[in-house]
């Protein structure tokens, strides 16, 4: 009887398994660790945070007029007249550019009362029109609020302060975040009796500019005729975070 001889395939199987990094023939042959795994064991990953506080240079105001009347037409007409005065004041007297004046809300809604005897009863209508105002002379924000209130505005919602161009501070906060990451990574390397190497990978998250806001609605309505509204812009926080992977020697 003739015997058939098979070509050896062990070398081919072994080579293929080594490339995959796994065992061969039930663990008789063991592959060496992959280079990527070796690199993973010799890195430090940290997050560095950078933050600075700056003075705001821009204010965002919501100025509105709210009028009640028996009919929707009367409410809207009276409200439009007051709103027109305020808009003219902002453009002509305060020299605010049209691009910095945008309608926020405009609506006319019915008002009802209810009791068990008469049920729901229509009592009139309320017309509301608000204007979003961007203003840059922060020292005069309080005076601006007083002026529009005197002209008929009876809704002053949250005033928000910020910086118009947050990118101008980005280089500074990035450097702070980098310094913070270096300190953290160096401390970890020292604790492990190793030395810190070069940064292998850096990614940024954030780059945020905070808003400082305060509600002046009730304050403004209660301001006496001989006193002005006081507005304190406060400070704005500019921050960012860096995720950094370092080589560890």
């Amino acid at each position: 009887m003739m015997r058939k001889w098979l070509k050896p395939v062990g070398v081919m199987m072994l080579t293929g398994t080594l490339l995959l990094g796994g065992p061969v023939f039930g663990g008789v042959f063991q592959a060496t660790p992959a280079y990527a795994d070796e690199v993973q064991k010799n890195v430090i990953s940290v997050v560095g945070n950078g933050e600075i506080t700056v003075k705001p240079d821009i204010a965002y105001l919501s100025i509105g007029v709210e009028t009640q009347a028996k009919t929707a037409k009367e409410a809207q007409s009276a409200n439009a007249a007051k709103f027109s005065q305020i808009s003219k004041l902002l453009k002509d007297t305060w020299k605010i550019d049209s691009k910095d004046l945008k309608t926020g809300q405009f609506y006319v809604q019915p008002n009802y009362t209810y009791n068990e005897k008469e049920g729901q009863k229509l009592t009139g209508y309320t017309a509301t029109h608000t204007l979003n105002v961007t203003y840059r002379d922060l020292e005069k924000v309080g005076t601006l609020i007083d002026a529009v209130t005197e002209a008929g505005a009876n809704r002053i919602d949250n005033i928000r302060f910020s910086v118009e161009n947050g990118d101008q501070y980005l280089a500074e906060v990035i450097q702070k975040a980098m310094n913070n990451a270096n300190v953290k990574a160096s401390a970890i390397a020292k604790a492990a009796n190793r030395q810190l190497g070069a940064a292998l990978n850096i990614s940024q998250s954030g780059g945020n500019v905070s808003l400082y806001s305060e509600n002046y609605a009730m304050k403004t309505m209660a301001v006496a005729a001989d006193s002005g509204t006081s507005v304190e812009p406060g400070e704005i926080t500019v921050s960012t975070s860096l995720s950094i992977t370092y080589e560890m020697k």
Side-chain angles (χ1 to χ4, degrees):
M1 181 177 178
M2 293 182 64
R3 294 184 180 181
K4 294 183 179 180
W5 295 92
L6 299 177
K7 293 182 179 179
V9 295
V11 173
M12 185 180 296
M13 293 176 64
L14 175 60
T15 304
T17 308
L18 281 174
L19 289 175
L20 294 175
V24 179
F25 300 122
V28 176
F29 297 95
Q30 185 66 41
T32 58
Y35 175 73
D37 293 337
E38 189 66 30
V39 171
Q40 278 300 110
K41 296 176 182 178
N42 290 282
V43 298
I44 299 173
S45 296
V46 297
V47 175
N49 300 304
E51 180 179 295
I52 61 173
T53 55
V54 299
K55 291 183 177 181
D57 56 20
I58 194 166
Y60 303 99
L61 303 88
S62 177
I63 298 171
V65 181
E66 193 171 273
T67 306
Q68 295 185 355
K70 290 183 178 181
T71 68
K73 184 177 180 180
E74 290 174 344
Q76 193 279 331
S77 180
N79 205 70
K82 294 178 184 178
F83 191 84
S84 178
Q85 284 185 323
I86 293 171
S87 182
K88 180 177 175 59
L89 174 73
L90 293 173
K91 291 179 181 179
D92 297 346
T93 304
W94 287 84
K95 307 301 180 184
I96 298 178
D97 198 285
S98 296
K99 67 180 177 63
D100 291 327
L101 301 173
K102 297 180 181 179
T103 296
Q105 293 180 318
F106 175 77
Y107 57 87
V108 180
Q109 65 181 19
N111 302 320
Y112 297 95
T113 58
Y114 178 84
N115 59 59
E116 294 183 359
K117 183 178 180 180
E118 298 179 342
Q120 183 173 277
K121 183 179 180 180
L122 179 65
T123 59
Y125 292 83
T126 298
T128 302
H129 196 167
T130 63
L131 193 65
N132 294 330
V133 181
T134 300
Y135 193 61
R136 294 172 179 81
D137 191 348
L138 302 194
E139 293 183 359
K140 296 181 180 178
V141 171
T143 307
L144 174 63
I145 292 173
D146 293 338
V148 295
T149 301
E150 187 177 346
N154 54 10
R155 281 191 57 178
I156 309 293
D157 295 326
N158 283 358
I159 303 172
R160 299 174 299 137
F161 299 96
S162 187
V163 289
E164 191 164 16
N165 180 18
D167 290 345
Q168 63 183 309
Y169 304 106
L170 203 52
E172 185 176 351
V173 295
I174 286 176
Q175 186 61 61
K176 280 183 170 288
M178 194 73 189
N179 294 342
N180 181 245
N182 288 339
V183 170
K184 291 179 180 179
S186 296
I188 294 171
K190 184 178 180 181
N193 294 318
R194 304 284 291 274
Q195 291 184 337
L196 190 66
L200 301 176
N201 184 61
I202 303 174
S203 62
Q204 182 190 14
S205 61
N208 302 312
V209 178
S210 69
L211 290 173
Y212 172 81
S213 64
E214 187 170 345
N215 194 332
Y216 282 85
M218 298 307 297
K219 286 185 180 180
T220 304
M221 298 304 105
V223 167
D226 59 347
S227 64
T229 299
S230 177
V231 176
E232 295 296 334
E235 290 187 329
I236 302 302
T237 300
V238 183
S239 62
T240 193
S241 295
L242 297 177
S243 297
I244 307 177
T245 300
Y246 294 87
E247 177 188 8
M248 187 167 60
K249 299 179 180 179

